[in-house]
């Protein structure tokens, strides 16, 4: 099953604090400088005017995904996803974008020397793309629910090529199956998505325990975010 | 001089209008443009870079200061010899071939300009040969390369190799940065420096240009 969705701006609108955090502001103790607040307002206004978010997902079997995951054979010898997907109950490839106009506006702002608004818009667009991915994940979950195929305890997490041992060249096989060109997302020779503010990957659904892993892989030493810990914790908090 | 101290302070606060006004006052007082640049604008931006490095301020504060710096430079420009702002060195900057991520590289460029360097920004998707060509044409002391994809990192090695082949490795130093890049990778490919963020990049470029004969 394949679904394509247009996503309303209200569903991906980035939060003010989230954008400021992405720009390095610690826990907010006081309101930001009025000039920073103004720049943020302006960036969010430009974002609202230009965002044209779309998403697509395609349900795949574990066997189909095995071939997609293997791609060109450049993945790490061991990776969390290689352990997780064979034990999953549901898998869907996905891609989302916030559209070309936002990326063009970021470039334009930097070109004219409006660094503050440009950087704010860049951070806001990244945040919005994550929200679009969450919205697309929800659409897949809802579709499973409608078909009465969803166990109440099923937990979902997303994984993307270029992270956690899944080589970026995995984009090639993912795009060949998903064909997200109809939502305006294409792949460059170096496996970079255009527009830049796009996300692709696989949505994995199953019991919470399949998502749990220790971050002691060789590539974890290079990781500067350790976001996987937060994602796994969020499943525990959600009671999955 | 008190006015230069004021320029520095207002620049640190990102007060664009005040920096322009004070810079014009300093010009009117016949303080040389070079002195205003060095002891007012660059001095202020140096403090901003240090405070950013020490996590006392966050990125938008740096960008506001950079905008104020640009305003001051615009006032100074007509008073510079040949209308050119003198630099303490030239840096060729770009995101490597196959990569379109610009933001990190742009921030490095802004910080380097604030520190007094002339930045030749080649943009993104820059071929290895183009880095070399620009460094030669401009007489740059440093080539800065950014990559956000593991697939585009080999292009950094290619630039370092091209410099070695052209016997320029001692004259033009290289610095690399970007999410997948590390000091280990810099060592592996023979790059002269690695920077983990924009403020660190300025410190590293300063160290490289001090070492350049």
């Amino acid at each position: 099953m394949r679904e394509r969705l247009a996503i309303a701006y209200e569903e991906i609108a980035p939060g003010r604090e989230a954008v400021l955090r992405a720009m390095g502001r610690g826990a907010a103790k006081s309101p930001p400088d009025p000039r920073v607040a103004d720049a943020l307002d302006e960036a969010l206004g430009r974002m609202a005017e230009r965002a044209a978010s779309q998403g697509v997902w395609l349900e795949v079997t574990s066997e189909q995904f095995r071939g997609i995951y293997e791609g060109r054979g450049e993945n790490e010898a061991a990776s969390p996803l290689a352990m997780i997907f064979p034990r999953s109950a549901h898998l869907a490839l996905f891609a989302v974008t916030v559209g070309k106009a936002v990326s063009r506006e970021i470039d334009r702002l930097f070109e004219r020397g409006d660094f503050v608004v440009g950087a704010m818009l860049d951070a806001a667009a990244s945040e919005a793309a994550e929200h679009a991915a969450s919205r697309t994940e929800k659409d897949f979950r809802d579709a499973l629910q409608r078909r009465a195929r969803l166990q109440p305890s099923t937990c979902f997490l997303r994984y993307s090529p270029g992270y956690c041992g899944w080589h970026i060249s995995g984009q090639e096989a993912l795009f060949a199956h998903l064909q997200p060109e109809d939502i305006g997302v294409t792949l460059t020779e170096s496996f970079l998505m255009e527009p830049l503010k796009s996300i692709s990957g696989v949505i994995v659904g199953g019991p919470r325990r399949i998502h749990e892993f220790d971050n002691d892989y060789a590539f974890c030493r290079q990781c500067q975010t350790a976001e996987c810990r937060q994602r796994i914790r969020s499943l525990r908090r959600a009671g999955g | 001089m008190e006015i230069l101290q004021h320029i520095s302070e207002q620049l640190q606060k990102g007060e664009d209008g005040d920096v322009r006004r004070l810079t014009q006052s300093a010009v009117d007082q016949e303080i040389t443009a070079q002195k205003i640049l060095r002891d007012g604008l660059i001095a202020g931006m140096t403090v901003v870079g240090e405070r950013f490095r020490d996590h006392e301020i966050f990125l938008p504060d740096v960008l506001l200061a950079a905008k104020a710096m640009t305003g001051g430079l615009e006032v100074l420009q007509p008073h510079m010899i040949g209308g050119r702002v003198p630099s303490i060195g030239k840096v060729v900057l770009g995101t490597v071939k196959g990569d379109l991520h610009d933001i990190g590289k742009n921030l490095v460029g802004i910080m380097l300009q604030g520190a007094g360097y002339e930045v030749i920004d080649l943009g993104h998707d820059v071929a290895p040969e183009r880095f070399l060509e620009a460094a030669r044409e401009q007489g740059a002391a440093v080539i800065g390369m950014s990559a956000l994809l593991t697939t585009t990192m080999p292009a950094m090695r290619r630039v370092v190799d091209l410099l070695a082949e052209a016997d320029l490795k001692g004259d033009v130093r290289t610095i690399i940065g970007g999410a997948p890049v590390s000091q280990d990778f810099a060592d592996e490919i023979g790059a002269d420096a690695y920077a983990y963020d924009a403020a660190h990049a300025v410190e590293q470029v300063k160290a490289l240009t001090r070492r350049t004969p």
Side-chain angles (χ1 to χ4, degrees):
Chain A
M1 185 183 182
R2 186 181 193 271
E3 284 288 336
R4 185 179 149 186
L5 55 156
I7 307 172
Y9 180 69
E10 293 68 34
E11 297 185 273
I12 61 160
R16 295 174 65 84
E17 276 306 319
V19 176
L20 292 172
R21 264 200 312 278
M23 298 198 74
R25 189 174 193 241
K29 296 184 181 80
S30 56
D33 181 302
R35 293 165 303 169
V36 173
D38 287 348
L40 180 55
D41 286 341
E42 193 178 335
L44 293 178
R46 286 171 191 264
M47 177 88 200
E49 280 169 20
R50 290 166 179 80
S53 186
Q54 295 191 73
V56 61
W57 59 261
L58 170 71
E59 191 170 14
V60 290
T61 64
S62 186
E63 222 25 64
Q64 284 173 317
F65 185 68
R66 185 179 303 282
I68 295 164
Y69 176 72
E70 281 171 7
R72 293 182 167 196
E74 294 184 48
N75 297 332
E76 296 287 336
S79 79
L81 185 56
M83 303 291 289
I84 292 166
F85 85 80
R87 296 184 289 154
S88 67
H90 309 284
L91 292 165
L93 308 178
F94 77 95
V96 297
T97 183
V98 295
K100 282 181 186 166
V102 176
S103 293
R104 276 202 297 263
E105 183 65 3
I106 294 166
D107 290 343
R108 205 183 63 81
L109 286 163
F110 271 95
E111 276 163 21
R112 73 171 206 201
D114 202 341
F115 314 131
V116 191
V117 179
M120 292 267 186
L121 183 56
D122 186 271
S126 295
E127 187 72 12
E130 282 296 336
H131 289 195
S134 297
R135 174 66 184 80
T136 304
E137 178 188 311
K138 181 180 180 301
D139 199 73
F140 175 51
R141 274 200 325 258
D142 291 348
L144 293 172
Q145 185 93 53
R146 281 194 300 275
R147 288 185 281 157
R149 286 176 51 197
L150 194 59
Q151 295 293 317
S153 60
T154 305
C155 294
F156 290 85
L157 282 180
R158 301 186 298 270
Y159 301 84
S160 293
Y163 297 91
C164 306
W166 187 5
H167 195 264
I168 184 87
S169 60
Q171 292 275 43
E172 188 178 47
L174 191 153
F175 267 61
H177 276 77
L178 180 61
Q179 299 188 339
E181 291 80 4
D182 59 349
I183 63 161
V185 183
T186 55
L187 205 59
T188 67
E189 280 179 6
S190 52
F191 312 114
L192 186 68
M193 283 180 287
E194 286 188 290
L196 214 48
K197 297 299 177 184
S198 304
I199 300 175
S200 65
V202 64
I203 303 165
V204 183
R208 191 189 78 195
R209 65 176 183 281
I210 72 164
H211 294 291
E212 303 246 6
F213 63 90
D214 293 327
N215 54 339
D216 55 4
Y217 293 87
F219 50 82
C220 297
R221 285 195 291 275
Q222 304 283 337
C223 177
Q224 292 168 10
T225 65
E227 273 178 20
C228 60
R229 302 299 91 192
Q230 196 184 331
R231 283 149 44 99
I232 291 169
R233 274 198 301 275
S234 75
L235 292 180
R236 290 181 193 146
R237 279 197 301 271
Chain B
M1 285 176 202
E2 201 178 346
I3 192 163
L4 299 182
Q5 180 64 27
H6 282 161
I7 291 172
S8 168
E9 286 166 3
Q10 294 310 102
L11 185 141
Q12 290 169 47
K13 292 177 189 166
E15 295 291 353
D16 187 15
D18 286 350
V19 169
R20 282 175 183 272
R21 183 179 53 75
L22 288 164
T23 302
Q24 186 59 57
S25 297
V27 169
D28 294 343
Q29 289 173 33
E30 297 186 347
I31 301 171
T32 65
Q34 280 79 357
K35 190 165 179 58
I36 300 167
L37 176 66
R38 189 186 63 224
D39 298 342
L41 299 173
I42 293 177
M45 209 55 203
T46 302
V47 175
V48 169
E50 289 166 356
R51 295 188 66 205
F52 181 62
R53 179 197 63 199
D54 297 340
H55 306 291
E56 291 173 19
I57 57 175
F58 82 135
L59 188 56
D61 299 313
V62 177
L63 298 174
L64 284 169
K67 200 173 173 199
M69 172 106 186
T70 305
L73 287 175
E74 280 171 11
V75 175
L76 280 188
Q77 201 153 7
H79 305 281
M80 298 290 190
I81 298 162
R84 285 177 61 86
V85 177
S87 78
I88 57 172
K90 287 185 181 180
V91 181
V92 165
L93 209 56
T95 305
V96 296
K97 182 77 184 159
D99 212 323
L100 304 178
H101 294 93
D102 249 352
I103 187 96
K105 180 264 298 169
N106 288 346
L107 297 176
V108 170
I110 289 164
M111 297 283 280
L112 283 171
Q113 281 170 332
Y117 288 90
E118 182 180 347
V119 173
I120 297 103
D121 187 343
L122 302 179
H124 54 238
D125 197 17
V126 180
E129 295 76 12
R130 179 74 193 110
F131 278 104
L132 198 69
E133 193 181 283
R136 269 182 168 146
E137 280 169 11
Q138 300 285 339
V142 178
I143 290 175
M145 293 171 276
S146 166
L148 208 80
L149 299 172
T150 50
T151 42
T152 57
M153 285 163 59
M156 294 173 157
R157 186 194 298 270
R158 180 73 187 132
V159 173
V160 175
D161 290 349
L162 281 174
L163 280 172
E165 284 166 24
D167 206 17
L168 283 173
K169 212 169 172 312
D171 300 325
V172 183
R173 318 301 290 265
T174 48
I175 177 168
I176 62 172
V181 177
S182 63
Q183 182 63 56
D184 285 348
F185 181 69
D187 295 341
E188 185 190 318
I189 67 170
D192 296 299
Y194 156 74
Y196 50 77
D197 67 17
H200 190 220
V202 173
E203 287 178 7
Q204 295 286 64
V205 167
K206 281 181 179 172
L208 287 177
T209 48
R210 269 200 298 273
R211 270 187 249 145
T212 302

